[in-house]
Amino acid sequence: DAADRATRFADTNLEIIRVSDVLVCVLREHADVHVGGSVEFLAKGLKRGLPVLELRVGEHDGLPVVRAVRHHWPGTPGLRGWAPPQLPGGLGDLSRKGAAAGTGTPPSRANVFRDAEAALGQLARSGDDASVVQRRHFRHAAQIIITTHLLATACAVAITVASLPAPWVATLLALEFTLLGGGVGTHLWLHRARAAHSWASYRRAAELAISVQATRNLRASLEHLFTLPFPTPLRPVLHTMYVLHLVISRHPRVGWEAAREAYVGARLEGPRGQVAYYTRELGRAQSRLRLANRSFLVVASIALLITPVKLWLAPWLLTLLPGADPAQGLPAVEMAARVVSILFPMLAVAALSLAASFDLEARVHTYQETLHDLQVLQAGIREADSAREFTVLALNAERELLAETANWASRRSFTGGT
């Protein structure tokens, strides 16, 4: 946006340095320093501490000579603090699966578009399948942890309140110990296996691949891949996604009007569209959140009222019942009251703990906002009357969808248990 050419080149140099892991700089042996030139580019890259391959081109006896100088290069003695980018988490396994599923044919101009789309499709399918498995592991583990602790508490209450024979007490103690050990062991496994983190990583990778596939007919820069709050270790994947988009969008299959209809029909509308998905998931999250909150209120209210019932209401009711002996009935009422006062607060906490583990309140809030924004964008895209307007609105929709995924993954990555 600058007025002069030199400043535009300087801005370009800064952007290249910002997004690059390694710099390769080719320049004349005795090149002069200019604003926005290659020498300034080289100096700024060295100042940032990036690995730089400097190729100086000179002349000797009428022939070109290239002198290579490596700065901050991996393997250089004394160099620390930099390593080649690696795929985060288990995404390397997905990459190897995709390579194994490929044809093994070297890239060529004839098949590069097909191979790029196949790579995105494989990553989307593999990431989605892996995220489903990890989500199931996390959900089952959370349910096991809460259930075992509730049952262990029930065993402890039975031992404390009831007058049981010694064999029954020993059995309940052993059962309580086993249940607590199982719950703690599941909790430790959940942290050690990082099921929530893996779930978030796989889901994030799948959504990225799906988003890039959806923009295959958009001749535009996917700069939102680098401005959204994705973690730094994911940057190699983002670079790859960006390059794959450049490949598959080079020759759009259809004109912009047909691309608009296809985008609205496949990406936003329809039974598998994002509007239907967020509508469905919002309803589920709202129902589960209402159930958790109502369960908490009911159970907590019973626990709160049990003391006045035990002290005043129960003795009065026993005096009204014909043939009832308050001396015999009150101990049973007191025992039941002690059980309720101990166990029901645990049930109330369990309801809230499950709601927090499944991120219900945050999901309801974010799904409502995302659904509203998508519906507004959907109407705008449907009425777009130029390729530029359609491209801008479609990119806004993809930014909205990936922003929700990035925020969800950030929350979920640090939920290790209950």
Side-chain angles (χ1 to χ4, degrees):
D1 298 327
D4 61 286
R5 182 172 181 271
T7 305
R8 290 198 294 271
F9 271 96
D11 290 343
T12 302
N13 284 345
L14 292 175
E15 181 64 11
I16 293 173
I17 291 172
R18 184 183 72 84
V19 302
S20 296
D21 297 305
V22 177
L23 303 180
V24 180
C25 188
V26 185
L27 63 166
R28 294 189 301 275
E29 184 66 47
H30 303 291
D32 296 328
V33 179
H34 299 288
V35 176
S38 297
V39 175
E40 183 188 67
F41 174 80
L42 174 64
K44 288 187 178 295
L46 293 175
K47 187 180 295 184
R48 298 282 183 92
L50 290 172
V52 178
L53 174 59
E54 176 187 354
L55 300 175
R56 290 280 182 171
V57 182
E59 181 183 357
H60 181 70
D61 294 335
L63 298 174
V65 177
V66 178
R67 178 171 59 88
V69 182
R70 291 175 170 82
H71 307 275
H72 307 297
W73 206 255
T76 303
L79 179 65
R80 288 183 175 84
W82 188 89
Q86 304 289 330
L87 287 173
L91 295 185
D93 297 332
L94 296 184
S95 177
R96 285 187 288 274
K97 290 178 182 177
T103 61
T105 305
S108 66
R109 294 179 66 87
N111 62 20
V112 65
F113 301 105
R114 182 196 65 199
D115 290 347
E117 290 193 336
L120 287 170
Q122 177 63 33
L123 182 59
R125 290 189 297 273
S126 300
D128 188 59
D129 293 342
S131 70
V132 169
V133 173
Q134 296 298 327
R135 179 182 62 188
R136 189 181 301 120
H137 288 167
F138 179 84
R139 183 176 67 248
H140 290 167
Q143 292 169 347
I144 289 172
I145 293 169
I146 292 176
T147 302
T148 53
H149 280 75
L150 283 175
L151 292 176
T153 304
C155 291
V157 171
I159 295 171
T160 304
V161 173
S163 299
L164 298 173
W168 280 96
V169 173
T171 301
L172 288 176
L173 283 174
L175 182 58
E176 179 187 358
F177 180 81
T178 303
L179 289 169
L180 286 175
V184 172
T186 304
H187 178 79
L188 294 176
W189 170 84
L190 198 59
H191 276 279
R192 189 175 186 85
R194 305 187 72 192
H197 179 80
S198 299
W199 171 20
S201 296
Y202 291 137
R203 181 74 261 162
R204 190 164 43 202
E207 291 299 329
L208 281 167
I210 293 170
S211 177
V212 174
Q213 282 182 308
T215 59
R216 68 155 334 278
N217 291 312
L218 300 182
R219 295 293 301 274
S221 172
L222 303 185
E223 61 182 23
H224 58 274
L225 297 181
F226 305 101
T227 57
L228 290 173
F230 289 117
T232 300
L234 198 64
R235 186 170 291 274
V237 178
L238 300 178
H239 282 304
T240 301
M241 296 287 184
Y242 190 88
V243 173
L244 290 176
H245 175 262
L246 292 177
V247 172
I248 65 176
S249 65
R250 184 176 180 183
H251 299 291
R253 292 177 177 176
V254 295
W256 76 267
E257 292 167 312
R260 178 192 61 190
E261 298 304 317
Y263 182 84
V264 172
R267 183 63 167 154
L268 299 179
E269 295 179 349
R272 298 179 63 87
Q274 293 300 295
V275 172
Y277 169 81
Y278 281 103
T279 301
R280 182 174 62 252
E281 291 300 315
L282 174 60
R284 289 178 180 175
Q286 287 175 328
S287 299
R288 293 170 181 173
L289 183 61
R290 281 196 299 269
L291 177 61
N293 288 334
R294 288 173 182 174
S295 299
F296 169 79
L297 289 175
V298 170
V299 176
S301 298
I302 293 174
L304 182 65
L305 295 174
I306 194 62
T307 298
V309 167
K310 179 182 69 172
L311 294 178
W312 300 298
L313 187 59
W316 177 70
L317 289 176
L318 288 173
T319 59
L320 296 179
L321 294 175
D325 186 1
Q328 295 179 352
L330 282 177
V333 172
E334 291 177 355
M335 180 183 298
R338 285 200 297 269
V339 171
V340 171
S341 62
I342 296 174
L343 195 57
F344 274 45
M346 286 288 296
L347 290 172
V349 172
L352 293 184
S353 182
L354 276 175
S357 297
F358 298 145
D359 204 26
L360 293 180
E361 192 166 355
R363 285 166 62 185
V364 168
H365 176 71
T366 55
Y367 286 174
Q368 286 175 334
E369 289 191 342
T370 303
L371 180 60
H372 173 267
D373 293 342
L374 282 181
Q375 289 171 334
V376 172
L377 288 167
Q378 178 185 12
I381 293 173
R382 193 185 292 113
E383 300 299 326
D385 54 10
S386 68
R388 180 175 178 81
E389 183 180 5
F390 161 58
T391 300
V392 170
L393 292 175
L395 288 179
N396 286 341
E398 293 305 317
R399 184 182 296 108
E400 182 74 25
L401 290 168
L402 288 179
E404 192 277 322
T405 299
N407 291 329
W408 169 85
S410 179
R411 298 194 311 270
R412 180 54 63 193
S413 294
F414 300 101
T415 304
T418 56

